[in-house]
Amino acid sequence: MTTLEKNPTPTESDLLPLTGPRLPTYAPALVAVAALALGGVLWLVLGSSVALSAFVAAVVFVVALPSWSRAVEGSRSAVDRLVAALVWVALLFAFVPLVSLLWTLLDKGLPALSPEFFTFSMRSVFGDAQGGIYHALVGTVLITLAATLISVPIGIFTAIYLVEYGAGNRVAKTITFLVDVMTGIPSIVAGLFAYALFVLFFGPGVRMGFGGAVALSILMIPVVVRSTEEMLKLVPDELREAAYALGVPKWRTITKVVLPTSMSGIVTGVTLAIARVIGETAPLLIIAGKTDSVNFNLFDERMATLPVFIYYSYTQPGIPAAPGYERAWGAALVLIAIVMILNVLARLIGKAFAPKTGR
Amino acid sequence: MSSTDTAKPRPPKGEPPVKRRSPERPGDKIFKGLSFGAAMIILVALAGVAIFLTVEGIPGLGASGGAVAGEANFLVYAGRLVYGTLLAAVIALIVATPLSIGMALVISHYAPRRLATPLGYMIDLLAAVPSVVYGLWGILFFGRFMGDIYVWLEANLGFIPLFSGPAATGGRTILTAGLVLALMVIPIITAICREIFAQTPTLHQEAALALGATRWEMIRYAVFPYAKSGMVSATMLGLGRALGETMAVAMVLSASGTGVMTLNLITTQNPNTIAANIARSFPEATGLSVNVLIASGLVLFLITFAVNFAARAIVARSGKRLNA
Amino acid sequence: MAKSIDVSDLDIYYGDFLAVQGVNMTIRARAVTAFIGPSGCGKSTFLRSLNRMHEVIPGARVEGKVLVDGQSLYEPGVDPVAVRRQIGMVFQRPNPFPTMSIYDNVLAGNRLNSKKLKKSAADDIVEKSLKGANLWNEVKDRLGKPGMGLSGGQQQRLCIARAIAVEPQVLLMDEPCSALDPISTAAIEDLIHDLKSQYTIVIVTHNMQQAARVSDDTGFFNLKGAGQPGHLVEFNPTEKVFANPDNDSTEAYISGRFG
Amino acid sequence: MKRSSYRRYLVPGVAALALTLSACGAGNEDSGSDADVPAGTEELSGTLNGAGASSQESVQNVWRANFQGSAPDVTVNYDPVGSGGGREQFIEGGVAFAGSDAYLDDDEGQLTDATERCSGTSPIEIPAYVAPIAIAYNLEGVDDLQLSATTISGIFNNEITTWNDPAIAADNPDAELPSDTINPVYRGDASGTSENFTEYLAAVGEWPHEPSDEWPATGEAATGTSGVIEVVGGTAGSIGYADGAQVEEAGLSTVSVAVGDEFVAPTPEAAGAILTASTPVEGRDEVDLAVDIDHTTTEAGVYPIVLASYLIACQTYEDQEQADLVKGYLSYILSEDGQEAGANDAGAAPLPEDLRSQAADIVDAITVG
């Protein structure tokens, strides 16, 4: 074979060992422990700051393991180990603040929670009197619900148009382009727009929950369109053709075959879109306003919402400030809990609606 | 296209019962009308936003003096804000992109499945944490933590212009804002990258492994080339979010008016971002100042749009290349 | 360069599930060994365990011994990367790297191993490997084009070229022709025949005629029963397996009376 | 997908939602309170919206709480959107009353616009919330910092940069001043606090800038009163200015400011005293109680840096309900109980008695027109 001529030392290649020297399996753990120990020494004995010690420990880990590997295993393994070390350190670095955020939230938010916190409003509450977020919960639920009722039909129908009817024609392309543009609307601009729109109809100084719902819809529609569009595209054309071949009209094919097939994905997308807008603050600040009392009417007067409540509880905590801050943390915890429940719900619904494959 | 899609066989003339035989056809028409109408609503809404921004913003373009916070004219005013907006977003991306890719790799390729699944869930949850919560945490916890680091940076790395100080011991600097933004976009970039990494065809990954590639070489040869465009667009989407983020920056950042144009990241003198400036100044704004703020909103809108559009274009182009 | 492979008492697990049980065989050097058997009987799994590719699937593990020229593949110190470097693999479906040209695809394995490859040396390797894969004449004028632009059979031969470019000692082929038309299949079979002089080749196939045509030894895998692990029923020279098998079920399978 | 599986999830969801909604009012909303309010309040009903200065937020909270307590059918909202926003919304008719850290003037035609909004009658302006602007500092080991106006303006204009500067030492002969750098903290957002503080600096200190609601000099910016308190409290060596009541609540040390020959601490009483020492704005209608704060006063016991925040309302409203609500609410604020509640629970300086009764009479005359 020609290779034999090319290869100056064929025998060597033949003997190329499978068992190159390797680091013991516990090597990464060992280096990690050593690095942590060094960081610990820096922190506890030499009094460096936590951040610096952690940073040094990370650097030591990322440098030491590949160096050791290079000495024992050769450069390719060293690079492999370097990357592995880097991605794990990246994970840690990104997770530490995220965990800190959740921890802070639990730590400061939990003390605020009580039955009254959920059933009381802030009406006539000042100082350290017992207040609650009931009014903001009601507002958030109603406004988000209204935004969903506006966005979901528009979003899903638009996606249907794009995938089933438009399919590449110029109108569809334009709409796709515009939906992209819409995803770029900063939330505060959506709020300003909703305010200007409602001033046209209801006069200056208008505040109503429905305005907030409109502002949120502007943020929500593109998300719904995008996710639904993706899901509809995933439905294989064979299914549609199978339905057409049975003489089913197009719209029934869509409602009976295409939508059910992609239902789990659509529901998931919608729920995630809700989770995305339920925490919006800036637009609601402008158009839904702030009140202390419960308001069930979307079309009249101000409506409190959780994000706005959090914002004002922080910026205007009142005198004394501590209860205000505590309520802000408590409300933030509740808001996150709602968002998380929605996320989990989305997954469950997604699973429940998913076509049963028998696996 | 309406003519082709709704074209239906004409019933023979003079036979009314035939018409009644196909009750679905009106359904088709209605359904198509509904979906077309929904698409049109988007068009109208967007036109509304654009008209509103332009009509309300144009008077602001010619403003000077007090309405533009004492700057020479709108361009200078907007320029400073754009600088701050971009600086914060760039900081966020520089920090977030490598971390996100690392995290996504851990989830898709490094972690055992038992760990990877909960990690993935957690990332998705974090992507939905409201910005006001990030703001609260950033100001009451993270800022103070960073303050100590800034003091250290000034003392030890002060010779680098970025850290020349004087350090803001409260930590409410553009760097802190950028880092909080980074935290906010990490889940977004990670989630998208993870999806893309997971979609890399096993065939290609196995091909690389069968050639004797190490895990990293396999990722470099089989995963990254495949995922490159997706990674770019994920980053761009993260950039879009970082640019438009309002409340977290407004709460964390200590900036006055339009801020200062400086590269010094750790002082008390900080650039301001467009969105934060709107949120902060809108309540006290009257008359022409409102127009100026809306005009700056228009500028932000254009920037984020450009970023989003670039992301889509990159994805579309590489998608074409892969399919070709 | 070719090496023989000794397998003794090999059990392959996916998590707790025992997929393949108690395989013993000796795969001769410079010969073609074929594995046949019904779907799901563990042929591919066993094949992948020969270069530790099955480890790509989470939870997969192996008990028993695989010796390549006396060196155990599953010793604690063995680097799977080094194993795969020497035991190449061709997959069921052609999988050239979509982002690389034909030229780069061939060199993908070499680029991993040596940092710098001289242009002339690289050209040599590409030409030699493509010639080795009987593809050179078809693609020599468009080496810079994407590998995905080739036909299915050409793509598969490109993958073979890529596999032999790193000069492995063993070449594993997992149903390399199942996605190809008869003409492409014939081309691959010819190629296998040529390659036999330098490589130890192990091929999994569903096509018994193919096994009969290309292989020197044949192993028949079967399930002991539904839900039971797969096992090696018979391992003999191909002629014997097809003419006068030791085992009844082998004969039943080969003659199409299986089931 | 079978229809029944949709229903399986839909029905409980709708039911849960309906339950939530029918549960209705908040647990604390039907309880009355025993606050003393002017007679006739109980019969009022409706929603009264106000908006404006965030400085009034805490005192408005107290007043609203007490007022709503005795008028269960009334909801009073106060959007702390800022003085400018409050004035604008009032002029546009979006709110029935506004809170503003500055009185209306015709620099941008707002006084005229407000008169137009009030059907041609002069708007009512009452300095209902007077509070000291405290200069808070964070300096370990120094408890009773005393500063003269010149020194204060030097500090905030970055001319005095260390705590042991001779100018500070001269005001504080007994204190042990460290050599730390001074970190001046200011309001980054436009605010009446900045405006009043710079007015004081311009009037008495050697301050080179014009008074403005936007801080003109450099330093560390912070958003909102709470932001300033946050930064000063969290940053050693810093000094900032913020609403006195909230500074005191936060437990920060405050500067005693030189007035005449003595140093005065920022107490509500000392702040309220300045209203008597100041002069009414010329050429205003008798319902317009706007005053020009005299920061240069040397009168004993007067704290010279104050925020006088106005309540702005109309003499006549087109709507009976609005007129009644405004009248009822403002009457309560200007009642002795309202003033006392404001002082006790929000740190507001009670209005001097003659001013209070004058304002109460004005509010009493609010009519439907």
Side-chain angles (χ1 to χ4, degrees):
Chain A
M1 159 99 190
T2 43
T3 45
L4 294 181
E5 297 141 30
K6 297 278 175 193
N7 201 330
T9 51
T11 45
E12 200 174 289
S13 161
D14 239 15
L15 296 177
L16 196 87
L18 295 177
T19 53
R22 302 204 76 204
L23 294 186
T25 42
Y26 54 82
L30 184 72
V31 176
V33 168
L36 283 179
L38 181 70
V41 167
L42 276 178
W43 177 38
L44 295 171
V45 182
L46 299 177
S48 305
S49 68
V50 181
L52 183 65
S53 314
F55 185 72
V56 169
V59 168
V60 166
F61 179 68
V62 168
V63 171
L65 186 62
S67 308
W68 188 11
S69 167
R70 189 185 173 81
V72 178
E73 300 176 318
S75 62
R76 283 179 61 203
S77 291
V79 173
D80 193 41
R81 295 221 186 244
L82 173 70
V83 174
L86 279 176
V87 297
W88 282 105
V89 166
L91 181 84
L92 277 185
F93 263 61
F95 253 83
V96 164
L98 293 175
V99 167
S100 143
L101 183 140
L102 292 181
W103 173 252
T104 315
L105 209 56
L106 285 173
D107 183 42
K108 304 212 172 185
L110 276 180
L113 301 189
S114 65
E116 289 76 23
F117 190 66
F118 289 99
T119 54
F120 278 24
S121 69
M122 286 297 289
R123 185 182 162 93
S124 308
V125 170
F126 62 89
D128 54 4
Q130 174 70 53
I133 55 167
Y134 182 65
H135 59 309
L137 272 176
V138 168
T140 286
V141 166
L142 288 180
I143 289 179
T144 313
L145 201 67
T148 310
L149 289 180
I150 298 171
S151 313
V152 168
I154 294 181
I156 291 185
F157 271 115
T158 303
I160 289 176
Y161 179 78
L162 291 180
V163 177
E164 305 292 335
Y165 291 102
N169 72 21
R170 204 183 307 147
V171 180
K173 273 186 187 146
T174 316
I175 300 286
T176 310
F177 175 80
L178 293 180
V179 170
D180 284 352
V181 176
M182 241 176 140
T183 55
I185 297 180
S187 59
I188 188 141
V189 169
L192 292 176
F193 165 70
Y195 180 72
L197 182 73
F198 277 69
V199 163
L200 277 184
F201 295 117
F202 299 94
V206 62
R207 292 283 189 285
M208 62 169 75
F210 189 69
V214 168
L216 292 188
S217 298
I218 291 192
L219 301 171
M220 200 171 160
I221 287 174
V223 184
V224 177
V225 174
R226 276 268 148 213
S227 59
T228 309
E229 195 187 347
E230 292 304 318
M231 291 305 144
L232 293 182
K233 277 185 187 161
L234 287 180
V235 177
D237 270 341
E238 287 84 349
L239 278 183
R240 295 188 182 89
E241 284 163 8
Y244 294 151
L246 293 172
V248 180
K250 185 160 187 161
W251 76 278
R252 286 194 152 264
T253 306
I254 295 171
T255 52
K256 296 286 172 190
V257 176
V258 178
L259 283 182
T261 311
S262 49
M263 185 53 79
S264 77
I266 294 175
V267 172
T268 310
V270 167
T271 321
L272 293 179
I274 294 175
R276 165 91 181 77
V277 298
I278 203 171
E280 277 298 343
T281 315
L284 298 177
L285 213 56
I286 294 173
I287 174 75
K290 165 188 187 274
T291 177
D292 295 342
S293 307
V294 178
N295 175 8
F296 280 104
N297 190 347
L298 272 173
F299 298 94
D300 192 27
E301 287 304 338
R302 286 136 214 274
M303 223 170 187
T305 48
L306 277 175
V308 173
F309 177 81
I310 295 169
Y311 180 69
Y312 273 127
S313 294
Y314 164 69
T315 53
Q316 318 280 347
I319 299 172
Y325 285 145
E326 190 180 278
R327 282 193 281 265
W329 284 112
L333 184 61
V334 172
L335 182 56
I336 284 216
I338 293 178
V339 168
M340 294 198 166
I341 290 170
L342 275 177
N343 266 281
V344 173
L345 217 61
R347 286 176 192 284
L348 291 182
I349 293 174
K351 264 186 197 152
F353 276 121
K356 309 287 182 287
T357 54
R359 276 202 184 219
Chain B
M1 79 265 120
S2 60
S3 59
T4 54
D5 276 357
T6 52
K8 41 198 165 206
R10 267 164 218 262
K13 277 175 193 166
E15 287 185 37
V18 180
K19 258 188 186 168
R20 221 172 284 140
R21 201 191 52 192
S22 53
E24 309 88 38
R25 299 280 158 70
D28 242 351
K29 208 169 195 174
I30 292 169
F31 201 75
K32 188 180 175 204
L34 276 177
S35 63
F36 186 71
M40 287 303 116
I41 289 178
I42 289 188
L43 203 126
V44 169
L46 199 72
V49 174
I51 291 171
F52 154 72
L53 279 178
T54 323
V55 168
E56 294 284 312
I58 279 179
L61 295 178
S64 62
V68 288
E71 308 292 351
N73 55 46
F74 179 77
L75 280 184
V76 180
Y77 171 88
R80 294 173 82 111
L81 287 172
V82 167
Y83 172 80
T85 309
L86 292 180
L87 181 61
V90 165
I91 293 173
L93 274 202
I94 288 176
V95 175
T97 311
L99 288 184
S100 305
I101 292 176
M103 282 176 90
L105 278 179
V106 167
I107 295 172
S108 66
H109 285 89
Y110 281 83
R113 188 169 293 176
R114 209 173 304 153
L115 187 62
T117 314
L119 277 179
Y121 273 99
M122 193 146 171
I123 301 290
D124 284 355
L125 291 183
L126 286 167
V129 172
S131 61
V132 62
V133 176
Y134 277 106
L136 209 54
W137 175 79
I139 197 169
L140 293 178
F141 183 83
F142 186 62
R144 290 177 188 170
F145 175 77
M146 290 306 290
D148 299 340
I149 294 179
Y150 295 155
V151 172
W152 185 89
L153 281 176
E154 186 201 356
N156 294 284
L157 296 172
F159 55 89
I160 304 173
L162 293 179
F163 306 125
S164 56
T169 47
R172 304 169 44 140
T173 71
I174 191 81
L175 182 55
T176 307
L179 290 177
V180 170
L181 283 180
L183 271 188
M184 301 180 68
V185 300
I186 278 176
I188 296 174
I189 302 181
T190 307
I192 302 177
C193 283
R194 187 194 61 185
E195 284 294 314
I196 300 164
F197 291 162
Q199 279 171 13
T200 312
T202 333
L203 275 175
H204 300 142
Q205 300 184 35
E206 291 187 342
L209 286 178
L211 288 172
T214 59
R215 183 155 52 178
W216 160 240
E217 288 159 351
M218 181 270 283
I219 289 168
R220 226 181 74 197
Y221 277 87
V223 178
F224 279 175
Y226 179 85
K228 196 160 53 183
S229 71
M231 284 154 70
V232 171
S233 80
T235 312
M236 298 291 242
L237 287 179
L239 179 62
R241 171 97 192 254
L243 286 171
E245 180 47 48
T246 311
M247 297 322 287
V249 178
M251 288 167 85
V252 169
L253 184 62
S254 263
S256 58
T258 52
V260 289
M261 288 174 83
T262 171
L263 265 177
N264 191 340
L265 299 179
I266 61 167
T267 63
T268 54
Q269 300 295 305
N270 289 294
N272 203 353
T273 74
I274 294 178
N277 183 55
I278 296 178
R280 200 178 284 176
S281 308
F282 198 74
E284 288 285 337
T286 51
L288 197 55
S289 322
V290 175
N291 299 117
V292 169
L293 288 176
I294 292 178
S296 74
L298 185 62
V299 172
L300 175 62
F301 179 40
L302 292 177
I303 296 176
T304 41
F305 166 61
V307 167
N308 273 312
F309 188 66
R312 305 281 188 219
I314 290 171
V315 174
R317 207 186 52 196
S318 63
K320 235 179 244 161
R321 191 163 51 82
L322 274 181
N323 292 337
Chain C
M1 352 217 308
K3 288 188 173 177
S4 63
I5 304 172
D6 290 296
V7 181
S8 49
D9 295 329
L10 192 73
D11 296 341
I12 306 174
Y13 294 87
Y14 290 116
D16 294 331
F17 174 69
L18 178 58
V20 179
Q21 191 178 29
V23 177
N24 289 290
M25 69 166 72
T26 298
I27 296 168
R28 288 187 289 142
R30 291 196 181 80
V32 178
T33 304
F35 297 151
I36 56 173
S39 296
C41 67
K43 310 181 295 286
S44 293
T45 301
F46 174 68
L47 186 78
R48 290 165 73 98
S49 73
L50 294 182
N51 71 343
R52 297 185 64 167
M53 273 304 286
H54 70 292
E55 287 172 12
V56 173
I57 297 159
R61 64 197 165 83
V62 150
E63 284 172 14
K65 272 191 172 169
V66 179
L67 300 177
V68 178
D69 268 11
Q71 280 182 298
S72 171
L73 288 191
Y74 290 94
E75 290 284 295
V78 171
D79 181 2
V81 171
V83 171
R84 292 170 198 151
R85 163 90 174 70
Q86 295 175 47
I87 305 179
M89 188 159 193
V90 177
F91 295 84
Q92 193 166 354
R93 292 175 47 152
N95 56 354
F97 295 119
T99 48
M100 294 184 191
S101 65
I102 295 173
Y103 186 90
D104 290 334
N105 255 297
V106 175
L107 283 178
N110 302 65
R111 290 248 162 87
L112 294 176
N113 291 300
S114 49
K115 287 200 177 66
K116 280 188 193 126
L117 207 57
K118 269 193 215 133
K119 177 79 172 101
S120 59
D123 288 347
D124 283 349
I125 293 175
V126 170
E127 183 175 346
K128 186 189 70 195
S129 306
L130 285 173
K131 277 181 175 161
N134 278 336
L135 191 61
W136 174 250
N137 289 329
E138 291 160 65
V139 300
K140 65 184 176 198
D141 300 326
R142 45 171 173 156
L143 292 175
K145 294 269 163 55
M148 295 296 270
L150 299 173
S151 76
Q154 289 172 326
Q155 285 188 21
Q156 191 64 302
R157 278 180 282 153
L158 176 60
C159 292
I160 295 175
R162 184 176 64 188
I164 61 179
V166 294
E167 298 170 6
Q169 280 131 23
V170 179
L171 207 50
L172 307 179
M173 296 185 168
D174 190 356
E175 300 183 33
C177 304
S178 65
L180 303 180
D181 62 281
I183 294 174
S184 304
T185 304
I188 303 276
E189 287 179 7
D190 289 348
L191 177 57
I192 292 172
H193 199 76
D194 294 345
L195 291 172
K196 177 166 92 165
S197 55
Q198 293 117 36
Y199 300 94
T200 304
I201 294 176
V202 185
I203 179 170
V204 166
T205 177
H206 270 295
N207 181 333
M208 275 169 290
Q209 284 71 37
Q210 185 173 58
R213 281 195 299 268
V214 302
S215 71
D216 303 305
D217 294 324
T218 296
F220 172 58
F221 282 79
N222 200 359
L223 290 170
K224 280 177 173 165
Q228 299 279 311
H231 67 134
L232 180 65
V233 177
E234 178 168 353
F235 187 74
N236 272 317
T238 302
E239 287 153 28
K240 177 166 169 52
V241 169
F242 281 88
N244 179 24
D246 289 341
N247 193 298
D248 291 344
S249 63
T250 311
E251 188 173 9
Y253 183 74
I254 287 168
S255 58
R257 286 188 278 109
F258 187 76
Chain D
M1 172 88 4
K2 280 180 196 148
R3 172 158 252 137
S4 62
S5 50
Y6 290 102
R7 200 169 288 154
R8 200 167 350 128
Y9 297 96
L10 204 63
V11 171
V14 170
L17 194 71
L19 258 181
T20 319
L21 290 182
S22 63
C24 265
N28 58 334
E29 286 201 3
D30 45 359
S31 58
S33 101
D34 51 359
D36 291 309
V37 290
T41 304
E42 290 86 351
E43 282 100 65
L44 292 175
S45 70
T47 303
L48 174 64
N49 287 324
S54 55
S55 58
Q56 289 193 25
E57 158 90 359
S58 47
V59 72
Q60 287 279 355
N61 269 347
V62 173
W63 286 331
R64 286 187 304 133
N66 288 338
F67 186 68
Q68 288 177 158
S70 33
D73 296 330
V74 175
T75 297
V76 184
N77 292 316
Y78 183 79
D79 252 355
V81 294
S83 302
R87 289 199 297 267
E88 186 143 296
Q89 287 188 25
F90 175 74
I91 288 166
E92 284 176 344
V95 291
F97 72 96
S100 171
D101 291 344
Y103 53 75
L104 292 166
D105 57 34
D106 260 337
D107 290 353
E108 282 183 29
Q110 283 193 327
L111 184 56
T112 313
D113 291 344
T115 309
E116 201 173 306
R117 183 254 194 265
C118 293
S119 323
T121 60
S122 288
I124 298 173
E125 292 193 272
I126 302 165
Y129 175 69
V130 180
I133 296 174
I135 302 173
Y137 64 97
N138 182 343
L139 190 63
E140 207 168 312
V142 183
D143 293 332
D144 302 303
L145 198 64
Q146 304 178 335
L147 295 176
S148 68
T150 339
T151 317
I152 295 172
S153 68
I155 290 173
F156 279 96
N157 202 32
N158 292 57
E159 286 154 7
I160 299 174
T161 54
T162 55
W163 282 105
N164 60 357
D165 192 277
I168 302 178
D171 288 338
N172 301 277
D174 302 332
E176 273 186 46
L177 296 164
S179 62
D180 298 0
T181 312
I182 301 179
N183 178 37
V185 180
Y186 66 93
R187 281 284 288 268
D189 50 337
S191 84
T193 315
S194 289
E195 181 153 21
N196 281 287
F197 187 55
T198 49
E199 269 171 13
Y200 163 78
L201 291 176
V204 284
E206 288 167 9
W207 184 250
H209 310 283
E210 288 285 308
S212 156
D213 61 351
E214 297 247 21
W215 185 254
T218 55
E220 177 164 1
T223 309
T225 301
S226 54
V228 172
I229 291 173
E230 187 77 27
V231 172
V232 172
T235 316
S238 57
I239 184 166
Y241 57 94
D243 178 66
Q246 294 190 44
V247 168
E248 192 196 333
E249 167 56 34
L252 298 176
S253 311
T254 52
V255 172
S256 296
V257 176
V259 180
D261 296 332
E262 55 174 340
F263 291 93
V264 182
T267 60
E269 292 70 28
I274 204 168
L275 284 181
T276 357
S278 301
T279 47
V281 179
E282 283 176 24
R284 295 295 174 115
D285 193 277
E286 59 180 2
V287 301
D288 191 335
L289 301 180
V291 291
D292 279 322
I293 302 291
D294 181 13
H295 295 290
T296 55
T297 184
T298 53
E299 219 164 294
V302 173
Y303 185 77
I305 321 173
V306 300
L307 176 87
S309 194
Y310 293 86
L311 281 175
I312 302 176
C314 286
Q315 295 182 54
T316 65
Y317 288 86
E318 285 167 8
D319 182 75
Q320 177 76 45
E321 186 187 279
Q322 287 297 303
D324 289 346
L325 285 171
V326 172
K327 192 169 162 181
Y329 184 52
L330 296 195
S331 298
Y332 164 68
I333 290 175
L334 293 167
S335 70
E336 279 172 24
D337 293 306
Q339 289 295 299
E340 202 184 308
N344 289 345
D345 294 322
L351 292 179
E353 180 55 30
D354 50 340
L355 193 63
R356 189 192 67 78
S357 58
Q358 189 187 353
D361 292 343
I362 293 171
V363 167
D364 248 1
I366 289 177
T367 55
V368 185

